Amino acid sequence: MRLLAIETSCDETSAAVICDGAVLSNVVSSQIKLHAEYGGVVPELASREHLRNLLPVIRAALNEANLSNAQLDAVAVTQGPGLPAALMVGFKGAQAFAFALRRPFLGINHHEAHLYSPWITGQPPRADFAAFQPNVSLIVSGGHTMLVHVPGELKHRVLGATIDDAAGECFDKIAKLIGLPYPGGPELDKLAAQGNPRAFDFPRPLLHEANDNFSFSGLKTSVRYFVRDHPHLLENGQSLRDLCASTQAAIVQVLVTKTMRAAKRLGVRCVTASGGVTCNSGLRNELAAACAKNGFTLRLAEKSLCTDNAAMIGILAERKLLAGHAPSPSDAEINVGWALA
Ligand code: KG4
Ligand code: ZN
């Protein structure tokens, strides 16, 4: 099956062409620079930028895959959750495209698609479903933090999620607090690499609670007060690096401990992770160490596929259509708050 997939749920305009589990192209136009000036994603600007970029990105994806519109068998798109004005652009564009081509059209849950990005590997990238194992999947980005049990292909159950800020939001807000440029997560990660993670002791929220939920706003507040009370630390390069390493260690320890605990409880032998924060070197290293210690297989999404992309939307959509999943009705609408069950 040759399938065009589109993703515009937040600040990345992306189009991918999938063919029988292979990613023939995956074009991503990021708006990070546009939003940097405002310190966060501005929905109205995101929407306008998606409108500007959608057709060129689709054209580039088809060109790279060496396919014409007429050679496509299906069209898939992120239906939710996401920013309404951003989702709308990709969703209505995909719907119109499928309608004009008289091809089936499938709306996909963005979070469900994240569950499959760790299985996309190699060059050219392919979905390695032959290696699929029941797993516990950590989805960590600027907008979401959740743990999901994936007992089989196309099956899932959400175990827990953040009750306030997402992990990426926590990284970004702490980074801003200590004067790093937006988006601060990657900057904080770089400084943390040369800092002492045990220099300062920050809270590990919900670490010992017997549930799979997360909370990061208290940690952010704790760092805010700490910085207010010790402003001189920001002027010293090594103290700043220690502060970064210590905050990163707190976030990572909570994510890793709760993920491993859930995996053990559910009896799975595999852990996966995706979402922008999965680029974090501390998280990658600690998940690898914890999985090695417990004899678990670890599948981390490749860095280019951690952040939002249409390849993961297309891989899931193709799998669903091949499994007999019904296409979406031609008058379907976006589902802004579409919670994964
Ligand atoms: O998945 P993503 O591109 O977008 C959504 O939020 O949906 O994730 C972006 C988030 C931002 O919060 C960014 O700071 C964080 O991922 N991030 C990182 C790193 N790279 C990206 N956080 C910590 N360390 C990193 N290396
Ligand atoms: Zn995402």
Side-chain angles (χ1 to χ4, degrees), residues 7 9-10 12 81 110-111 114 139-144 274-276 306-309 312:
E7 151 68 37
S9 66
C10 188
E12 262 97 27
H110 178 87
H111 293 159
H114 266 296
I139 306 177
V140 263
S141 72
H144 24 90
S274 67
C306 279
T307 46
D308 291 343
N309 64 84
M312 65 181 189

Side-chain angles (χ1 to χ4, degrees), residues 22-183:
V23 180
L24 301 188
S25 61
N26 181 39
V27 178
V28 183
S29 167
S30 169
Q31 306 176 3
I32 284 184
K33 287 202 187 99
L34 176 74
H35 300 289
E37 179 178 345
Y38 304 95
V41 177
V42 184
E44 179 60 27
L45 289 184
S47 163
R48 273 191 245 166
E49 200 61 13
H50 285 310
L51 270 177
R52 206 192 323 271
N53 290 334
L54 185 64
L55 287 179
V57 164
I58 292 176
R59 227 173 266 132
L62 286 167
N63 279 344
E64 210 179 299
N66 221 350
L67 287 183
S68 67
N69 297 350
Q71 289 172 295
L72 293 170
D73 300 307
V75 180
V77 62
T78 307
Q79 189 165 10
L83 299 171
L87 280 171
M88 189 78 83
V89 177
F91 191 78
K92 288 294 155 189
Q95 208 168 29
F97 201 66
F99 181 77
L101 288 172
R102 298 173 199 270
R103 296 292 190 273
F105 157 77
L106 185 60
I108 290 289
N109 181 299
H110 178 87
H111 293 159
E112 189 181 0
H114 266 296
L115 301 177
Y116 296 90
S117 56
W119 300 95
I120 306 174
T121 56
Q123 204 45 258
R126 291 193 62 85
D128 187 11
F129 282 112
F132 183 89
Q133 292 180 56
N135 62 80
V136 160
S137 193
L138 174 67
I139 306 177
V140 263
S141 72
H144 24 90
T145 300
M146 54 171 78
L147 267 180
V148 186
H149 180 207
V150 189
E153 279 179 43
L154 306 183
K155 293 189 190 125
H156 56 260
R157 186 171 61 90
V158 174
L159 300 167
T162 179
I163 57 171
D164 42 55
D165 291 354
E169 197 177 348
C170 182
F171 267 112
D172 294 343
K173 285 179 176 168
I174 290 175
K176 187 172 175 186
L177 218 65
I178 59 178
L180 304 180
Y182 171 90

